[in-house]
Amino acid sequence: MTQNQSRILAVKEGQTPPLAELAALIRTYTPEDREFAASLARETAVKRFGKKIYFRGLIEFTNYCKNDCLYCGIRRSNRNAVRYRLGLDEILTCCRWGEQAGFRTFVLQGGEDPYFTDERVAEIVSAIRREFPDCAITLSIGEKSRESYQRFFDAGADRYLLRHETASPAHYARLHPPELTLENRVRCLKDLISIGYQTGCGMMVGSPFQTAENLAEDLLFMKDLNPQMIGIGPFLPHHGTPFRDQKPGTLEDTLFLLSIVRLMLPKVLLPATTALGTIRPGGRELGILAGANVVMPNISPADVRKNYLLYDRKIGTADAPADSYSALREAIRSIGYEPANERGDYQWEDDIHD
Ligand code: 5AD
């Protein structure tokens, strides 16, 4: 057993190593260590979820954004982004297609678009809740006040995705303009959790200026926050941002981090992200084999997909909804897993012992 394999086992046993040890693990892991972590992570996921992979229908309903995050292709300073918004009827049409295709979770994701006031968001959530009482509604629309989050929750939203992006305040400041702070992000995440949302945080792997210590801080932050969902994908440059010439994150680091997260938080809902499928064909399947248990196919209307570009070369932007969806179902079956047509809520109970 190598030193790194003992560190990986310690994570699995709930004895999360201290920051310096985690950073050393991330800096020095070998392909064998990565496979060791993946096989334990896979086993952990299968014990809890069986071979089911939960599907979430992702609706990218606006790419207007008032923020100016340095990494993101829909940042407000990107004058070349072709902006769009979907109306309530278009959103409901996506949900209707999604429901008949088998989706029981709809994820409404967008930039921070002031057009979508709290009233409009609440109206959309209520309309989906009314027509699809058995479906989970996930929002991913950024930083809001506690009151706004409460209002959306009362309208029927169940879950909320808000990546913390990095748990280091100094690193956060190099990825974002000064008006955005880690402090407010964390405030948002804590409000969401205390309101009762199934809440997701997460980060990019290989974002500019990120160190192994930063990723170790992310791990310790997530362990402490104990969220229900974690979104992790590689950083990929977008040509219309200040980070256009920065190196992308790697497939290997992303897979390794997915496995460590699965071992650290065995119950967490962990997607194999679109960015992972973009960095390598079949990347999402590798994510599942590293411990992920969720996929989030795009069910946005075909004509707007090419405009929701957070990074270059994003997959699925030229597909009709049915195409990327059935190909992904098939790919998941081909690695021995089973696409699940169910809500796939977080299992709060600690009912698995070994
Ligand atoms: N590369 C990879 N992921 C990105 N995101 C934004 N821009 C990029 C990029 N260039 C991620 C952020 C955000 C999520 C919606 O997408 O982590 O929270």
Side-chain angles (χ1 to χ4, degrees), residues 203-206 232-236 248-251 254 273 275-277 279 311:
M203 71 287 179
M204 298 177 282
V205 174
I232 297 180
F235 162 73
L236 298 169
T250 68
L251 175 74
T254 308
T273 56
L276 191 57
I279 198 168
Y311 44 79

Side-chain angles (χ1 to χ4, degrees), residues 259-277:
S259 297
I260 298 298
V261 165
R262 167 60 67 215
L263 294 173
M264 190 176 75
L265 297 168
K267 296 187 291 186
V268 84
L269 296 160
L270 187 64
T273 56
T274 306
L276 191 57

Side-chain angles (χ1 to χ4, degrees), residues 281-306:
R284 286 177 294 188
E285 294 88 304
L286 296 175
I288 291 166
L289 295 171
N293 73 318
V294 170
V295 289
M296 303 172 64
N298 194 337
I299 63 168
S300 310
D303 59 318
V304 302
R305 287 178 181 213
K306 58 182 180 306

